[in-house]
Amino acid sequence: MQWLYDDTFEGFLSTVFEVYRNKDEAAIFSGSADAQLGLQEERRVITNAGHVKRVQRKLETIDSDLPRRLYYAWLSRETDIEQAIMAYIRLCIEQDMDVCDQRYRDTVRTVLNAARKVGTDVYHYQKFVRFVRAGREVYVADIEPDYDVLELLSGLFEDRLDGFNFIIRDIKRRKCLVWDQRQHWISYDPQLLQPVPNQGDYEVLWQTYFKHIAIPERINPKLQTLHVPKRYRKHMTEFSQE
């Protein structure tokens, strides 16, 4: 059976519920964006909040960190990652334990590697996101992450930019994380992806700080690249003059 869902993690968990209810041992998952219709029997799943909660509770009874780990793996959006996650879930339920120490299994290794890569991307962008002022109380930052980590950045910057509104724009996926000091949401509004008016002050502050803390005689480009890989520098204010 090919199971079609709405390309959200909640939709995926709803599909996991249906797969178990229908005892489908050979389930194939397709988000709406990548569904290959007509290949075999298909069933479309409507996201169901109650089913999502039931699956999450079951996973949490196995290990409290399991839902987060599987969410990170899903965000990698790697080919057939849903099938790997489904197999991982089956192993956990069969053994009534998190099978994260069974890396000799291809399925376990695939899921853990995907989750690790997403976590690494989140860790780097927590350090390397740079905001520019786009209005009196609005700051904007652009990123191009390897994985779909935008929403995972929300909590940290809500605390860091307390009292300000901000937008973090994933240029690669053409979507934005918006925070208005009360709540955050994901927006696909193309207007939010327009070039930011050049306010200048915030950028100059970062460039001046970066310039003055550097000791020319001790600049080590290789070490700098180790700590700040070049692929992250495109949207980092202190490197904008490179």
Side-chain angles (χ1 to χ4, degrees):
M1 176 83 70
Q2 184 176 33
W3 297 87
L4 311 180
Y5 70 102
D6 62 4
D7 210 33
T8 66
F9 188 62
E10 290 75 17
F12 172 68
L13 292 183
S14 295
T15 309
V16 169
F17 181 90
E18 292 296 337
V19 167
Y20 260 98
R21 181 156 69 176
N22 288 271
K23 300 179 180 179
D24 185 356
E25 298 295 329
I28 297 176
F29 297 80
S30 293
S32 57
D34 61 358
Q36 298 179 3
L37 304 180
L39 298 179
Q40 56 184 305
E41 185 180 357
E42 302 148 6
R43 185 174 299 182
R44 187 171 296 277
V45 176
I46 304 301
T47 301
N48 183 304
H51 294 171
V52 172
K53 289 181 180 178
R54 288 178 65 177
V55 173
Q56 287 180 325
R57 282 199 297 267
K58 178 60 178 179
L59 296 175
E60 287 170 353
T61 62
I62 296 171
D63 188 287
S64 60
D65 195 47
L66 186 55
R68 182 196 66 84
R69 183 179 300 118
L70 299 183
Y71 179 43
Y72 274 44
W74 182 86
L75 285 174
S76 73
R77 315 315 299 270
E78 293 182 345
T79 303
D80 296 331
I81 190 63
E82 294 103 331
Q83 277 70 248
I85 295 173
M86 186 72 242
Y88 191 103
I89 290 173
R90 291 187 193 278
L91 285 171
C92 290
I93 292 176
E94 288 170 4
Q95 299 183 31
D96 195 26
M97 60 179 288
D98 190 350
V99 295
C100 59
D101 60 343
Q102 300 177 20
R103 295 184 68 92
Y104 55 86
R105 298 180 184 271
D106 290 342
T107 292
V108 173
R109 192 164 56 250
T110 296
V111 170
L112 296 182
N113 286 346
R116 175 185 54 78
K117 288 185 284 190
V118 169
T120 298
D121 228 17
V122 172
Y123 172 73
H124 282 146
Y125 277 105
Q126 286 177 340
K127 297 188 297 180
F128 298 148
V129 169
R130 296 293 183 265
F131 289 90
V132 297
R133 186 156 53 191
R136 190 168 183 178
E137 293 183 348
V138 179
Y139 289 86
V140 176
D142 290 340
I143 62 175
E144 295 184 49
D146 289 339
Y147 304 102
D148 191 5
V149 301
L150 193 58
E151 194 161 4
L152 298 178
L153 299 174
S154 60
L156 175 72
F157 291 105
E158 289 165 16
D159 292 336
R160 281 189 183 177
L161 294 180
D162 185 30
F164 294 96
N165 306 308
F166 68 76
I167 303 171
I168 303 178
R169 312 190 300 186
D170 185 338
I171 303 302
K172 184 184 295 186
R173 295 167 184 80
R174 308 294 295 172
K175 65 179 186 178
C176 306
L177 171 69
V178 183
W179 168 252
D180 66 358
Q181 301 183 52
R182 297 184 302 276
Q183 61 182 344
H184 71 264
W185 67 93
I186 298 294
S187 173
Y188 292 87
D189 186 346
Q191 293 296 319
L192 295 177
L193 294 165
Q194 296 298 316
V196 178
N198 184 17
Q199 298 290 327
D201 294 346
Y202 199 67
E203 291 181 89
V204 170
L205 175 64
W206 262 109
Q207 290 165 357
T208 301
Y209 170 76
F210 187 68
K211 179 179 178 181
H212 282 84
I213 64 170
I215 301 173
E217 295 78 11
R218 299 185 64 182
I219 292 178
N220 185 335
K222 289 185 178 181
L223 183 61
Q224 188 179 70
T225 300
L226 177 64
H227 290 288
V228 187
K230 289 185 177 180
R231 72 184 183 89
Y232 294 103
R233 298 184 188 185
K234 181 178 179 181
H235 301 294
M236 294 181 68
T237 310
E238 59 267 43
F239 291 100
S240 62
Q241 296 179 339
E242 280 194 350

